[in-house]
């Protein structure tokens, strides 16, 4: 009921439509949204920002993330109670309404592999990977498609480069310091007081998995599996059959966006000497 009552001010522009949709009271001019298509590395970036803000002489748990970089769908009251410098995790595409955006992207083929395991763990989908990529994606459409995400982020970057930082999951794996420094600078954090080596160590895949094993996570409590599943780039090459790839590449928009983001389309063959 309250939600419908809030529709009235939203309709007249008194609260912003993204705030209405996310069920928070308002979006502040200094808010930073941590935005991604699901399974693109959002949680990893939330840990990175959290350790950069809170320091590395402690362990930040999955549950702690909800009070440092809270999720828009679950921690609305907490978000509303914070007055400034908020970091908010979301998957929803309101590029124009978000003041600042850290946009995380990942090779769509690896996203699909990760999403498949995620949905299987939650029992949202049961079946083979081949069936998933053909029939399993309709559950996610309230977040838009991967294509909607990437097109929106690229358009936002072109229109207003200062408000969005594009973070690639693969670059973060490859050159943590360079990418983490960009995140810190974008967030106006005091980089002289950040120990980037320690942040890298504390947020490494192995450390996050151990952290989850020791302290738990909502995902683990519900599914008895690790949220920190594999944490690699290029795993799609071992999962997609030729038929699966042919199916995916029928969508020329996906092909175009993969190319635009510099993800090679073909599986590089291992040269045996
Ligand atoms: P995999 O399922 O491929 O392992 P999101 O947080 O956006 O849902 O993304 C989840 C993906 O990020 C999962 O991918 C997860 O394992 C991976 N991930 C989480 N923490 C990570 C870390 N510290 N380093 C690398 N990948 C990480």
């Amino acid at each position: 009921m309250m939600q419908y009552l809030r529709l009235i001010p939203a309709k007249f522009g008194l609260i912003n439509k993204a705030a209405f949709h996310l069920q928070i009271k308002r979006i502040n001019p200094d808010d930073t949204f941590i935005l991604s298509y699901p399974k693109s590395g959002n949680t990893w970036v939330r840990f990175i920002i959290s350790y950069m803000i809170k320091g590395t002489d402690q362990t930040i748990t999955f549950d702690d993330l909800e009070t440092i970089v809270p999720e828009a769908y679950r921690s609305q009251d907490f978000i509303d109670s914070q007055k400034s410098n908020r970091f908010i995790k979301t998957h929803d595409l309101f590029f124009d309404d978000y003041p600042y955006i850290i946009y995380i992207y990942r090779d769509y083929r690896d996203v699909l592999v990760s999403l498949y395991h995620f949905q299987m763990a939650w029992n949202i989908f049961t079946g083979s990977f081949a069936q998933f990529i053909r029939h399993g994606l309709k559950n996610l459409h309230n977040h838009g498609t991967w294509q909607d995400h990437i097109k929106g982020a690229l358009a936002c970057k072109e229109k207003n480069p200062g408000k969005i930082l594009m973070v690639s999951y693969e670059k973060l794996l490859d050159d943590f310091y360079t990418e983490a420094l960009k995140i810190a600078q974008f967030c106006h954090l005091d980089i002289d007081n950040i120990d980037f080596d320690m942040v890298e160590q504390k947020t490494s895949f192995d450390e996050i998995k151990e952290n989850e094993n020791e302290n738990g996570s909502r995902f683990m409590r519900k599914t008895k599996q690790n949220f920190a599943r594999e944490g690699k780039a290029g795993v799609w090459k071992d999962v997609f059959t030729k038929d699966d790839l042919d199916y995916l590449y029928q969508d020329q928009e996906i092909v175009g966006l993969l190319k635009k983001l510099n993800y090679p389309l073909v599986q590089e063959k291992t040269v045996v000497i």
Side-chain angles (χ1 to χ4, degrees):
M1 180 62 185
M2 280 307 291
Q3 185 59 4
Y4 291 109
L5 286 176
R6 290 182 59 227
L7 182 60
I8 301 163
K11 205 172 152 70
F12 291 102
L14 298 174
I15 64 168
N16 131 329
K17 79 171 180 309
F20 170 72
H21 181 87
L22 300 173
Q23 302 193 30
I24 57 177
K25 286 205 173 102
R26 66 182 171 279
I27 288 175
N28 296 332
D30 60 353
D31 284 344
T32 303
F33 282 81
I34 316 303
L35 173 63
S36 64
Y37 188 77
K39 311 318 288 173
S40 301
N42 200 311
T43 312
W44 186 15
V45 171
R46 290 168 79 201
F47 270 114
I48 293 167
I49 293 171
S50 299
Y51 276 114
M52 292 199 292
I53 295 173
K54 297 282 179 193
T56 49
D57 51 358
Q58 60 188 309
T59 292
I60 292 169
T61 66
F62 276 79
D63 294 328
D64 292 335
L65 291 181
E66 282 313 313
T67 55
I68 313 173
V69 188
E71 182 174 310
Y73 317 105
R74 203 174 307 142
S75 299
Q76 283 97 342
D77 289 346
F78 180 77
I79 292 169
D80 284 337
S81 74
Q82 281 186 301
K83 296 286 171 263
S84 60
N85 291 320
R86 303 184 304 184
F87 294 95
I88 302 168
K89 177 233 166 137
T90 186
H91 296 304
D92 286 8
L93 297 177
F94 293 106
F95 288 99
D96 290 342
D97 301 277
Y98 301 147
Y100 296 101
I101 302 164
I102 295 180
Y103 187 82
I104 308 136
Y105 64 97
R106 184 182 189 187
D107 187 325
Y108 187 40
R109 297 157 295 188
D110 282 337
V111 166
L112 287 172
V113 175
S114 181
L115 201 50
Y116 169 64
H117 288 284
F118 183 82
Q119 295 216 359
M120 290 280 285
W122 278 112
N123 278 322
I124 299 170
F125 181 83
T126 41
S128 66
F129 179 71
Q131 288 165 335
F132 173 71
I133 61 168
R134 287 163 179 80
H135 312 292
L137 290 163
K138 50 187 174 291
N139 300 324
L140 277 174
H141 282 167
N142 57 339
H143 297 320
T145 62
W146 182 82
Q147 301 88 293
D148 295 334
H149 263 253
I150 303 299
K151 280 187 296 177
L154 294 173
C156 178
K157 180 88 189 153
E158 197 167 311
K159 196 164 129 196
N160 196 345
K163 89 172 218 172
I164 181 165
L165 176 72
M166 302 284 287
V167 175
S168 139
Y169 177 91
E170 294 78 11
K171 281 190 198 149
L172 206 48
L173 273 180
D174 196 45
D175 183 357
F176 182 87
Y177 175 72
T178 305
E179 299 308 304
L181 180 64
K182 284 187 208 159
I183 294 173
Q185 286 169 331
F186 185 79
C187 298
H188 299 293
L189 301 178
D190 178 6
I191 55 170
D192 294 334
N193 277 323
I194 297 173
D195 183 339
F196 285 91
D197 286 343
M198 274 306 287
V199 174
E200 178 168 18
Q201 207 176 305
K202 290 290 241 181
T203 65
S204 71
F205 180 79
D206 290 345
E207 183 81 19
I208 294 291
K209 190 166 185 167
E210 203 178 306
N211 177 345
E212 186 178 25
N213 287 336
E214 269 175 35
N215 303 301
S217 68
R218 180 171 166 262
F219 182 84
M220 187 177 245
R221 288 190 288 273
K222 298 266 184 191
T223 67
K224 312 281 176 253
Q225 297 181 32
N226 276 103
F227 179 88
R229 193 187 63 86
E230 191 161 2
K232 292 197 180 122
V235 289
W236 66 270
K237 294 172 190 167
D238 298 324
V239 178
F240 275 73
T241 62
K242 186 175 176 311
D243 271 1
D244 294 338
L245 265 192
D246 289 347
Y247 173 78
L248 194 74
Y249 293 168
Q250 278 172 24
D251 188 327
Q252 284 307 307
E253 191 167 56
I254 292 176
V255 171
L257 290 170
L258 285 170
K259 280 189 194 159
K260 199 162 193 160
L261 297 174
N262 289 323
Y263 293 118
L265 287 188
V266 285
Q267 259 166 277
E268 282 145 38
K269 298 253 183 300
T270 313
V271 182
V272 183
I273 303 173

